[in-house]
Amino acid sequence: MTVVGPFGLSVRDQALEADVQAGLAAVEEGLLEATKSGVPFITEAAQHLVRAGGKRFRPLLVMLAAQFGDPYAPGIVPSAVVVELTHLATLYHDDVMDEADVRRGVDSANARWGNSVAVLTGDFLFSRASHILADLGPEAVRIQAEAFERLVTGQILETAGPRDGRDPIEHYLDVIAGKTGSLIAVAGRYGAMMSGADERTVEILTHYGERLGTAFQLADDVLDIASDSHESGKTPGTDLREGIPTLPVLHLRAQAAASGSSDDRRLCELLDGDLTDDARHAEVLRLLRAHPALEQARRDTVRYAQEARAILAPLPECDAKSALEDLCDAVVHRAG
């Protein structure tokens, strides 16, 4: 059993490992090529997060999904580059919205060059992704456009908050299905579709990707509270500081409303206060790390990962299917 890529997926079959490793290496080359510009400063800014590394979770899923058809088909690597470029572009924009200082263990683009450069660099990456898509055909363009609409809709819904009477947790799960699940679903879909897999297989891997994407984001929610910056690659409690209602916080508020506990109410009051104060922020992190709401968020992560695994059931037994099942375990492991 060996480990593939920064995400740390274990692969049991040497031939599959070689295919995935070769595909990810080609994606890395494609990312560097796609982020080159005739203007050196644009190249530096566009390659800032590419060179910082990352899990390459989405390209990995493309490579594994492609195993259900022809894994050497010409559209596979370019489609993986498209998905990762799109993801990287959203990180530039997210860091501006969140006023984040750290991303993937390095200064965020907005911290280094300012918000305007970060936003425009994200736009540059979107344009490069679109350029590659144009060579993959109208169906690939349509899939990307639909996913991008869902991604933006999810971001807007997060910003607007739940409508009156809507369960905040249900609202949040819809948000992350759009913001995160949609693009990971595209990774599964592109890998299967570009490899020439049959329509049923494409559908299964698309649904698997969306469910796994939700689990992936929930794991990030847990990590935002439970990890240190070395583990997560960004400043712990960034979402807390910015008032973003992640799942552990939503569970806390639901439990506080149900129980009326004075400790829970006090923690909610701290959350509603000024978390730019470092001492207050540290206290909130400490209390949340010990609160049952964090464990509830972990259980939700496990549930979504298990649902993703169950979706794979109709696929034929093979090393690629085992690797996709193991990917569910790897996502859960990130959440502790």
Side-chain angles (χ1 to χ4, degrees), residues 23-34:
L24 291 175
V27 169
E28 211 63 29
E29 292 178 7
L31 288 171
L32 290 173
E33 185 62 32

Side-chain angles (χ1 to χ4, degrees), residues 36-161:
K36 287 180 182 176
S37 167
V39 180
F41 175 69
I42 295 177
T43 301
E44 181 186 4
Q47 292 186 350
H48 179 63
L49 290 185
V50 174
R51 294 187 181 279
K55 294 173 284 292
R56 302 296 189 252
F57 180 66
R58 293 154 188 82
L60 174 60
L61 181 52
V62 173
M63 297 304 143
L64 291 174
Q67 295 292 320
F68 293 89
D70 175 6
Y72 311 110
I76 292 167
V77 169
S79 69
V81 172
V82 165
V83 174
E84 188 68 7
L85 281 176
T86 304
H87 171 57
L88 288 169
T90 66
L91 297 185
Y92 281 83
H93 288 180
D94 283 351
D95 285 346
V96 171
M97 296 182 68
D98 298 342
E99 300 179 1
D101 294 324
V102 178
R103 170 68 71 175
R104 294 186 171 177
V106 300
D107 289 343
S108 62
N110 49 296
R112 184 166 180 177
W113 294 295
N115 287 347
S116 295
V117 168
V119 169
L120 292 169
T121 302
D123 293 344
F124 175 79
L125 296 179
F126 283 132
S127 71
R128 287 301 175 88
S130 298
H131 189 272
I132 297 169
L133 271 169
D135 293 330
L136 295 178
E139 179 67 4
V141 173
R142 184 186 64 78
I143 290 167
Q144 171 80 349
E146 289 176 353
F148 192 56
E149 179 183 347
R150 289 190 60 205
L151 193 158
V152 173
T153 299
Q155 184 65 69
I156 292 171
L157 288 174
E158 179 180 76
T159 303

Side-chain angles (χ1 to χ4, degrees), residues 245-264:
T246 58
L247 192 62
V249 171
L250 292 172
H251 277 310
L252 164 68
R253 294 191 186 280
Q255 291 176 28
S259 70
S261 159
S262 59
D263 287 342
D264 287 355

Side-chain angles (χ1 to χ4, degrees), residues 263-284:
D263 287 342
D264 287 355
R265 288 200 307 271
R266 177 177 176 272
L267 182 48
C268 288
E269 289 170 2
L270 287 171
L271 280 166
D272 292 333
D274 180 13
L275 292 183
T276 61
D277 178 80
D278 288 341
R280 188 187 191 105
H281 182 258
E283 182 180 9
V284 168

